[in-house]
Every structure is written in structure tokens, then in C-alpha cells.
Amino acid sequence: MTDAALPADPKGKDGHGPPGTSEESPEEFTDAKHESLFSLETNFLEEERGGHCSLKASQDPFAQHVNKELKEKEIQAVATNPKTTHQLKWPILGQLVFSSRFQQLETFKPPKDIDLKSLHLQKPLESTWIKTNSQFLSGPSNSSSPFTPLQKELFLIMNSYRDLFYPERTALKNGEEIRHVYCLHVINHVLKANAQVLANNSRCRSQKLGVGDDDDFRDQGLTRPKVLIVVPFREAALRVVQLFISLLEGDSKKKIIVSNKKRFNGEYGSDPEERPPNLKRPEDYEAVFVGNIDDHFRTGVAILQRSIRLYAPFYSSDILIASPLGLRTIIGGEGEKKRDFDFLSSIELLIIDQADIYLMQNWEHVLHLMNHMNLLPLDSHGVDFSRVRMWSLNNWSKYYRQTLLFGALQDAQINSVFNKYCINVQGQVAVRNVPMTGSISHVLVQLPHVFQRIEAENLASVIDASQGTHGSRMVLNTWFNFFVNKILPQYRDAVMSHTLIYVPSYFDFVRLRNYFKKEELNFTHICEYTRKSGVSRARHFFLQGEKQFLLLTERFHFYKRYTIKGIRNLIFYELPTYPHFYSEVCNMLQATTRGEEAAWTCTVLYSKYDAQRLAAVVGVERAAQMLQSKKNVHLFITGER
């Protein structure tokens, strides 16, 4: 596939063109005009910047990382080595788990004060960072530091080239603070990598051919893209690019060249007037669904010294910014004619931001991406093999790739990706704080909560965390049978009308819906695919009591956050993915009170595989008791006066 044929943005007319067709869309655009200007092969380092040729011998963490030489026996040992771990407590991040599959596990603690010089930031970042980050540094306590306390600790880990899992990133609280600091790391990495290539171009030009050791010039991967940033919506991609521009420009009088900026702002920006008026939504919803929330996009960015090329063809890009769906439609699947994933072969820095949102979009796309990372390319894409690093030629890139994973949750599926796919030679760091109080403490209504544990004793061997809480069909059957035989009969009596059943998994929802139809139960249902008219009808019938049951999917709640009125009995078929959804749904009972509060009920199903979700709802100490107790039923009462 040639550069020009590689789509930057796979949108059909409606934004959801079927995979495979979007490649021919006339709206596809890649910038062909600036190819030579941004080419790494034909450009040289400007003389006054030439001080970065000595990366090899320096204390620079980038140089130490890319120049680290692994031996064949170390690679072979990774498969059999037990993972070594060590726990440390940091002032802001809290409980950290350092781990490594390689022999040596090194840990460190953050220094009290941080000197920008010691961080080896590439020009012009030392000066531009302070200006770019100034919005977070308004307090007097931070005046001397260029970082917030959280940013400082995160950047120290990033700059050490370890993999990082940070599960406390929220759109409301610290999302932008974190985005700023990982963008600093990205630009620092790309500027250093490209400076090394350009400096070596100059050295090659000044040396007569045949003089010097070829290995001196090994400074790149098999394809040019070095950084992949996965974000859920176009708005996030827009913010990342704006930060890149700010980090390269700072407050210098000289504006940097940004090609195709107007087009990019048009396609990734949003019209404030398009927002529906008067919709009262929780603050966290407003923070997540801000701006252009289209989730099908991918674009390439090339950086050359202080110029940025947006919509660069993928194989001429340094940084790729994409959504999981945007990547899925180009990676393709087995047997598809048009598919391409060579551009993932030499990714040295993978950032997956807002990972929890992909659980609500389609987690399979994330797994599909991870399975195609750092494979040997099928085509040479015009690479000069004499310049490719040996570890890249050896197919060891995955041991040098740094992965930064940010999300709002400690979740089994996100954990599984971090544990399975992050095998960086520098080791891993995961933030593992436990919730002392659960979201049940935010339930305002007077309500008895009955937690029912489902016994799945003999299934430990068949659980697969990468498939989520109910990874195996046997567990699904156990769960379904328990619900149908033990729980549902208590609610079939007409006295128990106004029963909402909250279902996190769409597959469980379909199974329950089919069962309710077969049993001719008086029910209605709402999922993320229900049309607006269907939603209104279902809400009306449920409120009026014309339908006894309402089946509701978690994804519908995530995307719409409607208050469902008329609930008197609540069943959580499974614990919610987001802990605050538990209190949110419970508090919906107070939306319509007609004096029947005394009869309200809430039932929650859980198993021993739900430790993380349970702790997030009831707190870690109670969760431990509930998982170890001989009793299968536990009762909590909230809102007592």
C-alpha cells in the first residue's frame, strides 16, 4: 500500500460507513503536498542544534532506553521467568506495584524537588512547557515547580520508560492535567528520535561512504510511526494536537508552521450551538461528552523540528492519533482483502487514554489492536535497513515499547491488557489504591440492599479475565440459572411491579430479553440501540405500571444518563462497571415518591470474581468480609434517619 492510499480518516457520509468501504471515500484526505518538507530521509539537522549527536553516551533516559542491548537468552527467559514485583508508596500516586519479567527489578522514589535540567527535555520544551502548563500551576505552593504534584510523579515514571497503568484518571478531576504531561513526554520522545536521525543524516553526508561503522547510524524502526495515541472521541484528538502546537510554539514570537490546521479544526472541532439545550446531566457526563464525540477517526502527525504536518500519510507520520474503531477498520480481520497494520510495527510509545470508555464502546477493538502491535511488517515501505536498530530487526520491538494506560477504573479487562501485553524491558508500574469507602455511601434514599453471592466454586480454572467477569459460558449459565430460578420468582407477583433490572453486559441483556418474551412476562426494555420513540414509550409504560419489568443496559445509561421514573424494586444483574452508577441508579427511586418508600427493595448479584467491582461499591473491608463469609446473603441499609 502506498502512502497516498492510506486513509487518514475513514468517514463515510454518515460517519459510520461499513468497514472496507471507507477507504474509497472521496472525503478521505492525506496531505501529499508537504512530503519532502517533512521527510526524515532528505532533511538534516540545523547546525546550531547539532548538540544532540552524542545521545549514545549521554545520561538521557531516551538514549539509555533505545541503546539498551538485550541478549537472546534474556528474551528466551522472559517466557519462563516468574514476574518479580515490589510495592512502594509514593506521596501522591499512593500504592505502586513495580514489576518486571526481566531479571533485574529496579524501583525508585520521587525526589522532593525536581530540576527541569535533570529531565533531559529537548529544546524548546524547557521553556514552552512552563507556559503550556501554567493553568495548573496557579497556587502559591506550586510556584517553583513546573509540574503539579501528580504530574511530577507521573512524568518521572514516563521518563524512566517504564510501562504505566494509572486507573484514577477522570474527566472531571485530573484528565487534562494528565493529558498535558503525556503530550510533553510524546513530543520529547519524537524530537529526540528525529534529532538523532537528522544528526546521523548530516554525519553520513559528511563522511565518505565506506568510512566508519554502519552500526553507528542505527537510529530508527522498520516504519516511521513511533507513537500511537488512542483516544475515544475527536474532541480528545483535537486537544492533543492543540497541546503539540503549544509545546512546540510556546510564547515565541515566531509561529510554527502547522499545515492543514484549518481543515483539522473543522473536522475535529464542534459547533457549540449543536449542543441540545436544557438537558440536565451529571457533571461527569458533561465532562466526558464534550465537543465532537464522533468515535471513528484516525490521523497522522509528522513533526520536523518546529513544524507540524497534520493529516500526514501514516508511513510519513511520527505520531498516529486514533480511536479504537478508526484503527479496527484499517487493521481489518482475517481474510479481508484490504487491511494494513505495518504502521504499528515500530511503535515505541503507546498511549491508551480513557481506557474505561472503550469498555462502553467495544473492548474487542482494543484487544484486536494489541494483537497487531509490533509485528514484523509485510512490506519494506522503502526503509533503509542499514539504519534500522538491531532490536527492531530481531523482532524485539515489543520489549522496547512503552505503554501508558490511563482510565477511571480498576477493571479486570483493563488489568488483563496491562498484564498480558506490557512486557517492556524497563519494567511496569501499576497504581493500585483500594477504595476504603464504596459508592454505596452516596445512596441518599432509605433502601435495603440485599447482596446475593452466586457460588461458582468449580470454575476458577475456566475463568478468563480478558473476557471480563463472566468469561466462561459455564459462569454465564450458572448466573442466568440462579437469576431465573432463585431471584426472578420473588418478583413475578404483581405486588412487585415497577421492577428495574440493570444489566451491564449486552449479551446478558439479549438472553434475558429472549427469556422474558418466551415466558410472556409483562416487560419492556431499553438498550443503546433503542430508538428515541421506543425509549419514550418504554419509560412511559414503566412509570404508569403498565409494564411490570424494565430491562435496562448499562451502555444506555452511560450514553444517555436519563433518570428512569417509577422504580420501586431494583435488581443489579451484575455489579456496575462504574461504581458511581450504583448510587446514581439507586437514587433514581426518589424521582417519583408516592408514599411507597417503605416497600422499596434492591437486590445485587455478585460472585467471588467480582472483588474489584464489589470493593468499589461497598468498600474494601466489607468486600473482603462478603467474599470470605460462609453466608451468601448480606444486607445493608442506606439512608436511615
Side-chain angles (χ1 to χ4, degrees):
M1 186 181 271
T2 64
D3 284 347
L6 230 169
D9 184 3
K11 290 189 60 62
K13 289 255 188 302
D14 60 355
H16 296 283
T21 60
S22 58
E23 270 76 6
E24 288 82 38
S25 161
E27 291 171 36
E28 293 288 0
F29 171 69
T30 51
D31 170 26
K33 200 169 68 176
H34 299 90
E35 192 63 24
S36 62
L37 184 66
F38 284 87
S39 163
L40 276 184
E41 288 79 43
T42 55
N43 280 286
F44 303 91
L45 198 65
E46 294 168 16
E47 287 311 312
E48 71 268 19
R49 292 169 191 258
H52 218 85
C53 309
S54 59
L55 265 174
K56 242 181 184 173
S58 79
Q59 293 304 301
D60 189 305
F62 165 83
Q64 291 180 340
H65 179 58
V66 297
N67 295 326
K68 193 179 183 84
E69 289 186 11
L70 284 171
K71 297 184 172 65
E72 183 80 45
K73 62 172 192 280
E74 289 178 280
I75 297 290
Q76 287 166 352
V78 167
T80 51
N81 277 353
K83 196 187 234 183
T84 50
T85 63
H86 183 75
Q87 293 204 11
L88 271 186
K89 195 162 183 162
W90 278 26
I92 306 297
L93 291 178
Q95 205 61 47
L96 299 189
V97 178
F98 284 77
S99 60
S100 176
R101 290 176 197 269
F102 289 85
Q103 294 292 223
Q104 218 171 352
L105 174 63
E106 291 178 10
T107 64
F108 69 101
K109 283 203 160 183
K112 271 209 170 69
D113 298 310
I114 197 164
D115 170 23
L116 269 184
K117 294 266 184 289
S118 68
L119 296 176
H120 299 273
L121 294 182
Q122 188 78 346
K123 280 182 182 174
L125 296 176
E126 271 186 35
S127 57
T128 60
W129 169 248
I130 294 168
K131 172 144 194 298
T132 302
N133 201 43
S134 58
Q135 67 188 91
F136 302 111
L137 305 174
S138 50
S141 59
N142 297 331
S143 54
S144 61
S145 171
F147 296 95
T148 67
L150 173 65
Q151 286 176 332
K152 180 182 96 167
E153 294 190 6
L154 288 174
F155 190 74
L156 285 167
I157 295 168
M158 291 178 195
N159 207 30
S160 73
Y161 280 90
R162 288 167 171 83
D163 295 323
L164 170 66
F165 175 33
Y166 180 73
E168 295 172 25
R169 178 240 189 265
T170 60
L172 256 184
K173 196 176 68 181
N174 55 18
E176 291 313 305
E177 205 181 325
I178 290 167
R179 197 191 321 272
H180 275 64
V181 79
Y182 75 61
C183 285
L184 171 67
H185 183 52
V186 166
I187 295 294
N188 196 33
H189 180 87
V190 169
L191 289 178
K192 286 176 183 179
N194 286 356
Q196 195 178 20
V197 173
L198 298 180
N200 282 341
N201 288 352
S202 302
R203 288 170 66 206
C204 286
R205 184 175 58 173
S206 61
Q207 273 187 3
K208 287 199 169 75
L209 285 176
V211 178
D213 185 356
D214 273 358
D215 277 1
D216 280 355
F217 301 123
R218 294 197 178 276
D219 52 18
Q220 53 200 270
L222 287 158
T223 51
R224 180 167 170 181
K226 313 171 221 326
V227 179
L228 171 61
I229 302 176
V230 182
V231 286
F233 304 121
R234 283 180 180 250
E235 171 68 22
L238 178 71
R239 291 184 184 189
V240 164
V241 168
Q242 286 169 341
L243 280 172
F244 289 170
I245 294 168
S246 176
L247 283 166
L248 288 172
E249 201 165 68
D251 50 3
S252 67
K253 303 285 179 288
K254 202 173 158 193
K255 288 280 182 207
I256 62 165
I257 300 161
V258 183
S259 56
N260 309 304
K261 186 178 180 181
K262 190 175 176 193
R263 181 180 189 129
F264 185 80
N265 287 338
E267 291 184 4
Y268 284 76
S270 62
D271 183 349
E273 289 172 18
E274 285 174 8
R275 288 206 51 85
N278 304 329
L279 279 181
K280 187 79 187 88
R281 293 282 186 273
E283 272 185 306
D284 65 298
Y285 178 92
E286 297 289 359
V288 169
F289 294 101
V290 66
N292 186 335
I293 54 167
D294 177 63
D295 65 354
H296 191 177
F297 60 90
R298 54 181 180 258
T299 191
V301 179
I303 290 177
L304 206 73
Q305 287 164 25
R306 290 180 79 166
S307 306
I308 295 184
R309 178 192 190 191
L310 303 175
Y311 296 103
F314 269 25
Y315 290 97
S316 304
S317 299
D318 297 298
I319 302 164
L320 309 176
I321 308 170
S323 65
L325 178 60
L327 290 165
R328 180 67 180 81
T329 50
I330 192 171
I331 293 170
E334 284 293 326
E336 284 179 32
K337 260 190 188 159
K338 279 196 101 169
R339 53 184 312 215
D340 185 10
F341 43 87
D342 283 0
F343 58 86
L344 299 171
S345 66
S346 299
I347 296 293
E348 297 160 3
L349 175 51
L350 167 64
I351 295 172
I352 301 178
D353 197 6
Q354 293 175 273
D356 50 287
I357 292 179
Y358 312 134
L359 295 171
M360 298 291 130
Q361 289 180 342
N362 190 334
W363 190 248
E364 285 300 315
H365 295 340
V366 175
L367 298 177
H368 195 67
L369 166 67
M370 298 311 291
N371 286 323
H372 289 85
M373 289 298 300
N374 299 113
L375 303 176
L376 282 174
L378 303 173
D379 187 7
S380 68
H381 301 280
V383 68
D384 174 357
F385 287 102
S386 72
R387 296 285 294 273
V388 177
R389 293 190 186 99
M390 288 313 296
W391 50 259
S392 204
L393 292 173
N394 287 339
N395 196 20
W396 291 350
S397 293
K398 63 184 174 185
Y399 301 112
Y400 287 82
R401 183 189 77 238
Q402 180 185 27
T403 305
L404 307 176
L405 189 53
F406 301 101
L409 300 168
Q410 291 272 12
D411 180 87
Q413 295 174 87
I414 302 174
N415 276 338
S416 172
V417 160
F418 189 71
N419 293 333
K420 182 176 175 185
Y421 295 101
C422 298
I423 45 176
N424 177 348
V425 61
Q426 306 293 353
Q428 291 70 46
V429 180
V431 176
R432 299 267 185 234
N433 295 312
V434 291
M436 297 319 288
T437 58
S439 60
I440 197 168
S441 62
H442 298 127
V443 176
L444 306 172
V445 295
Q446 190 163 358
L447 185 64
H449 305 252
V450 177
F451 284 78
Q452 294 247 10
R453 190 173 71 219
I454 297 176
E455 294 304 336
E457 283 308 320
N458 55 337
L459 300 175
S461 59
V462 293
I463 282 284
D464 176 4
S466 68
Q467 297 300 309
T469 316
H470 307 312
S472 89
R473 187 161 284 135
M474 290 166 73
V475 172
L476 280 168
N477 285 333
T478 308
W479 210 273
F480 177 76
N481 292 336
F482 182 88
F483 176 77
V484 164
N485 299 325
K486 297 281 196 317
I487 304 296
L488 197 56
Q490 304 167 34
Y491 290 86
R492 289 179 81 149
D493 193 307
V495 181
M496 301 297 278
S497 65
H498 295 274
T499 298
L500 176 90
I501 304 173
Y502 178 96
V503 192
S505 156
Y506 182 72
F507 300 107
D508 289 337
F509 167 78
V510 170
R511 191 172 187 184
L512 289 170
R513 186 186 64 195
N514 293 346
Y515 177 81
F516 276 45
K517 275 182 183 166
K518 191 177 95 204
E519 292 290 305
E520 296 181 346
L521 293 175
N522 180 23
F523 83 107
T524 185
H525 53 85
I526 300 176
C527 73
E528 56 271 32
Y529 304 113
T530 309
R531 289 194 175 153
K532 212 169 182 179
S533 55
V535 172
S536 300
R537 251 193 330 272
R539 292 173 76 190
H540 173 75
F541 289 148
F542 183 68
L543 174 60
Q544 300 304 323
E546 291 173 43
K547 298 289 182 187
Q548 185 178 345
F549 294 98
L550 170 59
L551 291 176
L552 183 82
T553 64
E554 181 169 73
R555 275 196 183 129
F556 176 81
H557 183 64
F558 175 79
Y559 282 110
K560 298 295 183 192
R561 298 292 266 283
Y562 290 174
T563 297
I564 306 293
K565 294 179 178 175
I567 309 169
R568 293 180 198 168
N569 303 294
L570 189 51
I571 300 173
F572 286 92
Y573 188 78
E574 188 188 345
L575 285 156
T577 307
Y578 287 92
H580 65 282
F581 284 3
Y582 184 84
S583 51
E584 229 170 70
V585 174
C586 288
N587 287 331
M588 285 181 192
L589 274 79
Q590 66 190 358
T592 42
T593 55
R594 295 174 184 154
E596 71 283 329
E597 292 95 324
W600 285 347
T601 69
C602 174
T603 299
V604 188
L605 306 187
Y606 73 99
S607 81
K608 66 179 181 182
Y609 302 112
D610 289 324
Q612 281 177 327
R613 287 190 185 184
L614 186 63
V617 169
V618 301
V620 71
E621 287 178 8
R622 279 174 170 175
Q625 290 165 5
M626 291 164 68
L627 292 166
Q628 289 156 14
S629 166
K630 292 201 164 41
K631 290 193 304 179
N632 286 348
V633 181
H634 297 266
L635 172 68
F636 299 97
I637 295 175
T638 55
E640 286 183 297
R641 286 172 185 82

mmCIF file with all atom_site columns, all heavy atoms in Angstrom, residues 581-595:
data_model
loop_
_atom_site.group_PDB
_atom_site.id
_atom_site.type_symbol
_atom_site.label_atom_id
_atom_site.label_alt_id
_atom_site.label_comp_id
_atom_site.label_asym_id
_atom_site.label_entity_id
_atom_site.label_seq_id
_atom_site.pdbx_PDB_ins_code
_atom_site.Cartn_x
_atom_site.Cartn_y
_atom_site.Cartn_z
_atom_site.occupancy
_atom_site.B_iso_or_equiv
_atom_site.pdbx_formal_charge
_atom_site.auth_seq_id
_atom_site.auth_comp_id
_atom_site.auth_asym_id
_atom_site.auth_atom_id
_atom_site.pdbx_PDB_model_num
ATOM 1   N N   . PHE A 1 581 ? -22.276 4.589  39.164 1.00 0.00 ? 581 PHE A N   1
ATOM 2   C CA  . PHE A 1 581 ? -23.577 4.251  38.569 1.00 0.00 ? 581 PHE A CA  1
ATOM 3   C C   . PHE A 1 581 ? -24.468 3.543  39.597 1.00 0.00 ? 581 PHE A C   1
ATOM 4   O O   . PHE A 1 581 ? -25.687 3.616  39.514 1.00 0.00 ? 581 PHE A O   1
ATOM 5   C CB  . PHE A 1 581 ? -23.403 3.354  37.338 1.00 0.00 ? 581 PHE A CB  1
ATOM 6   C CG  . PHE A 1 581 ? -22.925 4.088  36.107 1.00 0.00 ? 581 PHE A CG  1
ATOM 7   C CD1 . PHE A 1 581 ? -22.621 5.439  36.153 1.00 0.00 ? 581 PHE A CD1 1
ATOM 8   C CD2 . PHE A 1 581 ? -22.787 3.428  34.893 1.00 0.00 ? 581 PHE A CD2 1
ATOM 9   C CE1 . PHE A 1 581 ? -22.182 6.123  35.011 1.00 0.00 ? 581 PHE A CE1 1
ATOM 10  C CE2 . PHE A 1 581 ? -22.357 4.097  33.754 1.00 0.00 ? 581 PHE A CE2 1
ATOM 11  C CZ  . PHE A 1 581 ? -22.048 5.447  33.809 1.00 0.00 ? 581 PHE A CZ  1
ATOM 12  N N   . TYR A 1 582 ? -23.842 2.871  40.562 1.00 0.00 ? 582 TYR A N   1
ATOM 13  C CA  . TYR A 1 582 ? -24.633 2.160  41.583 1.00 0.00 ? 582 TYR A CA  1
ATOM 14  C C   . TYR A 1 582 ? -25.471 3.162  42.380 1.00 0.00 ? 582 TYR A C   1
ATOM 15  O O   . TYR A 1 582 ? -26.697 3.028  42.489 1.00 0.00 ? 582 TYR A O   1
ATOM 16  C CB  . TYR A 1 582 ? -23.713 1.364  42.520 1.00 0.00 ? 582 TYR A CB  1
ATOM 17  C CG  . TYR A 1 582 ? -24.487 0.538  43.527 1.00 0.00 ? 582 TYR A CG  1
ATOM 18  C CD1 . TYR A 1 582 ? -24.978 -0.715 43.190 1.00 0.00 ? 582 TYR A CD1 1
ATOM 19  C CD2 . TYR A 1 582 ? -24.770 1.034  44.806 1.00 0.00 ? 582 TYR A CD2 1
ATOM 20  C CE1 . TYR A 1 582 ? -25.724 -1.469 44.096 1.00 0.00 ? 582 TYR A CE1 1
ATOM 21  C CE2 . TYR A 1 582 ? -25.516 0.308  45.712 1.00 0.00 ? 582 TYR A CE2 1
ATOM 22  C CZ  . TYR A 1 582 ? -25.983 -0.953 45.352 1.00 0.00 ? 582 TYR A CZ  1
ATOM 23  O OH  . TYR A 1 582 ? -26.742 -1.683 46.245 1.00 0.00 ? 582 TYR A OH  1
ATOM 24  N N   . SER A 1 583 ? -24.811 4.174  42.922 1.00 0.00 ? 583 SER A N   1
ATOM 25  C CA  . SER A 1 583 ? -25.543 5.159  43.728 1.00 0.00 ? 583 SER A CA  1
ATOM 26  C C   . SER A 1 583 ? -26.488 5.985  42.854 1.00 0.00 ? 583 SER A C   1
ATOM 27  O O   . SER A 1 583 ? -27.590 6.338  43.271 1.00 0.00 ? 583 SER A O   1
ATOM 28  C CB  . SER A 1 583 ? -24.570 6.072  44.485 1.00 0.00 ? 583 SER A CB  1
ATOM 29  O OG  . SER A 1 583 ? -23.604 6.599  43.607 1.00 0.00 ? 583 SER A OG  1
ATOM 30  N N   . GLU A 1 584 ? -26.054 6.257  41.624 1.00 0.00 ? 584 GLU A N   1
ATOM 31  C CA  . GLU A 1 584 ? -26.891 7.041  40.704 1.00 0.00 ? 584 GLU A CA  1
ATOM 32  C C   . GLU A 1 584 ? -28.227 6.348  40.433 1.00 0.00 ? 584 GLU A C   1
ATOM 33  O O   . GLU A 1 584 ? -29.284 6.972  40.468 1.00 0.00 ? 584 GLU A O   1
ATOM 34  C CB  . GLU A 1 584 ? -26.138 7.217  39.380 1.00 0.00 ? 584 GLU A CB  1
ATOM 35  C CG  . GLU A 1 584 ? -26.109 8.631  38.881 1.00 0.00 ? 584 GLU A CG  1
ATOM 36  C CD  . GLU A 1 584 ? -25.141 8.795  37.712 1.00 0.00 ? 584 GLU A CD  1
ATOM 37  O OE1 . GLU A 1 584 ? -25.428 8.289  36.616 1.00 0.00 ? 584 GLU A OE1 1
ATOM 38  O OE2 . GLU A 1 584 ? -24.096 9.429  37.905 1.00 0.00 ? 584 GLU A OE2 1
ATOM 39  N N   . VAL A 1 585 ? -28.169 5.041  40.142 1.00 0.00 ? 585 VAL A N   1
ATOM 40  C CA  . VAL A 1 585 ? -29.395 4.297  39.827 1.00 0.00 ? 585 VAL A CA  1
ATOM 41  C C   . VAL A 1 585 ? -30.247 4.137  41.087 1.00 0.00 ? 585 VAL A C   1
ATOM 42  O O   . VAL A 1 585 ? -31.473 4.298  41.040 1.00 0.00 ? 585 VAL A O   1
ATOM 43  C CB  . VAL A 1 585 ? -29.062 2.926  39.178 1.00 0.00 ? 585 VAL A CB  1
ATOM 44  C CG1 . VAL A 1 585 ? -30.322 2.092  38.974 1.00 0.00 ? 585 VAL A CG1 1
ATOM 45  C CG2 . VAL A 1 585 ? -28.353 3.132  37.842 1.00 0.00 ? 585 VAL A CG2 1
ATOM 46  N N   . CYS A 1 586 ? -29.611 3.849  42.225 1.00 0.00 ? 586 CYS A N   1
ATOM 47  C CA  . CYS A 1 586 ? -30.375 3.732  43.481 1.00 0.00 ? 586 CYS A CA  1
ATOM 48  C C   . CYS A 1 586 ? -31.108 5.043  43.791 1.00 0.00 ? 586 CYS A C   1
ATOM 49  O O   . CYS A 1 586 ? -32.262 5.026  44.225 1.00 0.00 ? 586 CYS A O   1
ATOM 50  C CB  . CYS A 1 586 ? -29.456 3.384  44.651 1.00 0.00 ? 586 CYS A CB  1
ATOM 51  S SG  . CYS A 1 586 ? -28.845 1.692  44.614 1.00 0.00 ? 586 CYS A SG  1
ATOM 52  N N   . ASN A 1 587 ? -30.444 6.153  43.551 1.00 0.00 ? 587 ASN A N   1
ATOM 53  C CA  . ASN A 1 587 ? -31.051 7.446  43.874 1.00 0.00 ? 587 ASN A CA  1
ATOM 54  C C   . ASN A 1 587 ? -32.202 7.823  42.934 1.00 0.00 ? 587 ASN A C   1
ATOM 55  O O   . ASN A 1 587 ? -32.948 8.749  43.206 1.00 0.00 ? 587 ASN A O   1
ATOM 56  C CB  . ASN A 1 587 ? -29.996 8.557  43.887 1.00 0.00 ? 587 ASN A CB  1
ATOM 57  C CG  . ASN A 1 587 ? -29.095 8.459  45.109 1.00 0.00 ? 587 ASN A CG  1
ATOM 58  O OD1 . ASN A 1 587 ? -29.510 7.982  46.171 1.00 0.00 ? 587 ASN A OD1 1
ATOM 59  N ND2 . ASN A 1 587 ? -27.843 8.888  44.971 1.00 0.00 ? 587 ASN A ND2 1
ATOM 60  N N   . MET A 1 588 ? -32.338 7.070  41.822 1.00 0.00 ? 588 MET A N   1
ATOM 61  C CA  . MET A 1 588 ? -33.477 7.318  40.924 1.00 0.00 ? 588 MET A CA  1
ATOM 62  C C   . MET A 1 588 ? -34.813 6.980  41.598 1.00 0.00 ? 588 MET A C   1
ATOM 63  O O   . MET A 1 588 ? -35.857 7.445  41.158 1.00 0.00 ? 588 MET A O   1
ATOM 64  C CB  . MET A 1 588 ? -33.345 6.474  39.646 1.00 0.00 ? 588 MET A CB  1
ATOM 65  C CG  . MET A 1 588 ? -32.313 6.964  38.669 1.00 0.00 ? 588 MET A CG  1
ATOM 66  S SD  . MET A 1 588 ? -32.305 5.890  37.218 1.00 0.00 ? 588 MET A SD  1
ATOM 67  C CE  . MET A 1 588 ? -30.813 6.406  36.385 1.00 0.00 ? 588 MET A CE  1
ATOM 68  N N   . LEU A 1 589 ? -34.774 6.169  42.643 1.00 0.00 ? 589 LEU A N   1
ATOM 69  C CA  . LEU A 1 589 ? -36.031 5.795  43.308 1.00 0.00 ? 589 LEU A CA  1
ATOM 70  C C   . LEU A 1 589 ? -36.755 7.022  43.860 1.00 0.00 ? 589 LEU A C   1
ATOM 71  O O   . LEU A 1 589 ? -37.979 7.028  43.957 1.00 0.00 ? 589 LEU A O   1
ATOM 72  C CB  . LEU A 1 589 ? -35.787 4.782  44.427 1.00 0.00 ? 589 LEU A CB  1
ATOM 73  C CG  . LEU A 1 589 ? -35.755 3.310  43.966 1.00 0.00 ? 589 LEU A CG  1
ATOM 74  C CD1 . LEU A 1 589 ? -34.413 2.959  43.345 1.00 0.00 ? 589 LEU A CD1 1
ATOM 75  C CD2 . LEU A 1 589 ? -36.044 2.365  45.117 1.00 0.00 ? 589 LEU A CD2 1
ATOM 76  N N   . GLN A 1 590 ? -35.968 8.041  44.211 1.00 0.00 ? 590 GLN A N   1
ATOM 77  C CA  . GLN A 1 590 ? -36.616 9.212  44.804 1.00 0.00 ? 590 GLN A CA  1
ATOM 78  C C   . GLN A 1 590 ? -37.209 10.151 43.737 1.00 0.00 ? 590 GLN A C   1
ATOM 79  O O   . GLN A 1 590 ? -37.816 11.166 44.067 1.00 0.00 ? 590 GLN A O   1
ATOM 80  C CB  . GLN A 1 590 ? -35.649 9.976  45.697 1.00 0.00 ? 590 GLN A CB  1
ATOM 81  C CG  . GLN A 1 590 ? -34.475 10.625 44.969 1.00 0.00 ? 590 GLN A CG  1
ATOM 82  C CD  . GLN A 1 590 ? -33.433 11.163 45.928 1.00 0.00 ? 590 GLN A CD  1
ATOM 83  O OE1 . GLN A 1 590 ? -33.606 11.082 47.145 1.00 0.00 ? 590 GLN A OE1 1
ATOM 84  N NE2 . GLN A 1 590 ? -32.350 11.706 45.396 1.00 0.00 ? 590 GLN A NE2 1
ATOM 85  N N   . ALA A 1 591 ? -37.062 9.797  42.440 1.00 0.00 ? 591 ALA A N   1
ATOM 86  C CA  . ALA A 1 591 ? -37.588 10.660 41.376 1.00 0.00 ? 591 ALA A CA  1
ATOM 87  C C   . ALA A 1 591 ? -39.117 10.708 41.409 1.00 0.00 ? 591 ALA A C   1
ATOM 88  O O   . ALA A 1 591 ? -39.716 11.685 40.984 1.00 0.00 ? 591 ALA A O   1
ATOM 89  C CB  . ALA A 1 591 ? -37.105 10.182 40.013 1.00 0.00 ? 591 ALA A CB  1
ATOM 90  N N   . THR A 1 592 ? -39.750 9.619  41.858 1.00 0.00 ? 592 THR A N   1
ATOM 91  C CA  . THR A 1 592 ? -41.222 9.623  41.994 1.00 0.00 ? 592 THR A CA  1
ATOM 92  C C   . THR A 1 592 ? -41.556 8.938  43.310 1.00 0.00 ? 592 THR A C   1
ATOM 93  O O   . THR A 1 592 ? -41.441 7.719  43.428 1.00 0.00 ? 592 THR A O   1
ATOM 94  C CB  . THR A 1 592 ? -41.886 8.819  40.856 1.00 0.00 ? 592 THR A CB  1
ATOM 95  O OG1 . THR A 1 592 ? -41.130 7.626  40.633 1.00 0.00 ? 592 THR A OG1 1
ATOM 96  C CG2 . THR A 1 592 ? -41.982 9.604  39.580 1.00 0.00 ? 592 THR A CG2 1
ATOM 97  N N   . THR A 1 593 ? -41.923 9.666  44.295 1.00 0.00 ? 593 THR A N   1
ATOM 98  C CA  . THR A 1 593 ? -42.298 9.049  45.574 1.00 0.00 ? 593 THR A CA  1
ATOM 99  C C   . THR A 1 593 ? -43.769 9.316  45.842 1.00 0.00 ? 593 THR A C   1
ATOM 100 O O   . THR A 1 593 ? -44.218 10.459 45.812 1.00 0.00 ? 593 THR A O   1
ATOM 101 C CB  . THR A 1 593 ? -41.442 9.607  46.731 1.00 0.00 ? 593 THR A CB  1
ATOM 102 O OG1 . THR A 1 593 ? -41.573 11.020 46.736 1.00 0.00 ? 593 THR A OG1 1
ATOM 103 C CG2 . THR A 1 593 ? -39.989 9.246  46.581 1.00 0.00 ? 593 THR A CG2 1
ATOM 104 N N   . ARG A 1 594 ? -44.478 8.229  46.054 1.00 0.00 ? 594 ARG A N   1
ATOM 105 C CA  . ARG A 1 594 ? -45.915 8.367  46.349 1.00 0.00 ? 594 ARG A CA  1
ATOM 106 C C   . ARG A 1 594 ? -46.242 7.655  47.647 1.00 0.00 ? 594 ARG A C   1
ATOM 107 O O   . ARG A 1 594 ? -47.241 6.956  47.767 1.00 0.00 ? 594 ARG A O   1
ATOM 108 C CB  . ARG A 1 594 ? -46.730 7.765  45.202 1.00 0.00 ? 594 ARG A CB  1
ATOM 109 C CG  . ARG A 1 594 ? -46.546 8.527  43.889 1.00 0.00 ? 594 ARG A CG  1
ATOM 110 C CD  . ARG A 1 594 ? -47.247 7.840  42.752 1.00 0.00 ? 594 ARG A CD  1
ATOM 111 N NE  . ARG A 1 594 ? -46.981 8.538  41.484 1.00 0.00 ? 594 ARG A NE  1
ATOM 112 C CZ  . ARG A 1 594 ? -47.023 7.927  40.316 1.00 0.00 ? 594 ARG A CZ  1
ATOM 113 N NH1 . ARG A 1 594 ? -47.307 6.637  40.239 1.00 0.00 ? 594 ARG A NH1 1
ATOM 114 N NH2 . ARG A 1 594 ? -46.797 8.602  39.210 1.00 0.00 ? 594 ARG A NH2 1
ATOM 115 N N   . GLY A 1 595 ? -45.323 7.738  48.589 1.00 0.00 ? 595 GLY A N   1
ATOM 116 C CA  . GLY A 1 595 ? -45.591 7.142  49.897 1.00 0.00 ? 595 GLY A CA  1
ATOM 117 C C   . GLY A 1 595 ? -45.313 5.663  49.986 1.00 0.00 ? 595 GLY A C   1
ATOM 118 O O   . GLY A 1 595 ? -45.596 5.027  50.986 1.00 0.00 ? 595 GLY A O   1
#
